[in-house]
């Protein structure tokens, strides 16, 4: 009776261990499949991200190259203009038609409003436009 009990006990232990091993293998297989599935998704997302980065970098680089070409053209034009500039020195002489020796308006005393009117009249006389 004890031998049959021990045999049944060992049989039950073997069945439980076999079931546990089977469940562990199934769980390990599922986890491996999930890990490889997510790894593939992350790799494809990483590839898409790298592709977008490369596209942005190529657009940025082409824009920089276009600006460099424009700057090169402008620099050449500027250098050509610098070479065309000729400096000419002349003596400037002013001849006065009339020399004023008698200052008439030295003792003129105006307040602020009068000076403002006089200044506007001077500007109008110089620009030939009304104030």
């Amino acid at each position: 009776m004890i031998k049959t009990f021990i045999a049944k006990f060992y049989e039950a232990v073997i069945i439980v261990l076999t079931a546990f091993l089977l469940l562990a293998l199934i769980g390990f297989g599922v986890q491996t499949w999930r890990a490889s599935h997510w790894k593939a998704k992350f790799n494809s997302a990483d590839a898409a991200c790298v592709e977008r980065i490369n596209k942005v970098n190529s657009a940025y680089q082409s824009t920089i190259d276009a600006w460099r070409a424009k700057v090169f053209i402008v620099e050449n034009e500027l250098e050509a203009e610098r070479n065309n500039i000729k400096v000419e020195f002349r003596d400037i002489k002013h001849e006065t038609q009339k020399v004023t020796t008698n200052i008439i308006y030295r003792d003129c005393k105006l307040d602020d409003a009068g000076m403002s009117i006089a200044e506007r009249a001077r500007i109008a006389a110089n620009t030939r436009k009304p104030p």
Side-chain angles (χ1 to χ4, degrees), residues 3 6 17-18 25 29 33 39 64 71 74-75 81 105-106 112 116 127 129 131:
K3 285 186 178 188
I6 291 176
L17 287 177
T18 305
L25 287 174
W33 174 79
K39 183 177 181 182
I64 287 176
V71 166
V74 170
E75 284 177 345
E81 287 297 320
Y105 302 107
R106 180 183 295 173
D112 290 339
S116 174
T127 60
K129 292 180 184 176

Side-chain angles (χ1 to χ4, degrees), residues 8-110:
K8 293 278 184 189
F9 177 73
Y10 283 144
E11 186 180 321
V13 168
I14 290 173
I15 290 173
V16 168
L17 287 177
T18 305
F20 177 73
L21 182 63
L22 183 62
L23 287 175
L25 287 174
I26 290 172
F28 180 71
V30 168
Q31 290 299 333
T32 304
W33 174 79
R34 287 179 64 197
S36 64
H37 172 73
W38 284 110
K39 183 177 181 182
K41 277 193 161 200
F42 286 136
N43 286 339
S44 66
D46 189 42
C49 185
V50 167
E51 181 181 337
R52 287 177 64 190
I53 288 172
N54 289 337
K55 188 185 295 184
V56 168
N57 283 343
S58 66
Y60 176 72
Q61 191 62 40
S62 64
T63 304
I64 287 176
D65 292 339
W67 277 105
R68 283 184 181 157
K70 288 179 182 179
V71 166
F72 180 74
I73 291 170
V74 170
E75 284 177 345
N76 287 339
E77 290 175 355
L78 178 64
E79 191 62 33
E81 287 297 320
R82 283 184 182 159
N83 291 336
N84 289 337
I85 293 175
K86 295 178 183 176
V87 178
E88 184 177 320
F89 294 98
R90 291 184 283 167
D91 290 335
I92 299 174
K93 296 179 182 177
H94 292 282
E95 293 183 19
T96 57
Q97 300 295 327
K98 177 181 171 184
V99 176
T100 305
T101 57
N102 188 9
I103 301 173
I104 301 170
Y105 302 107
R106 180 183 295 173
D107 296 329
C108 179
K109 295 179 180 165
L110 296 173

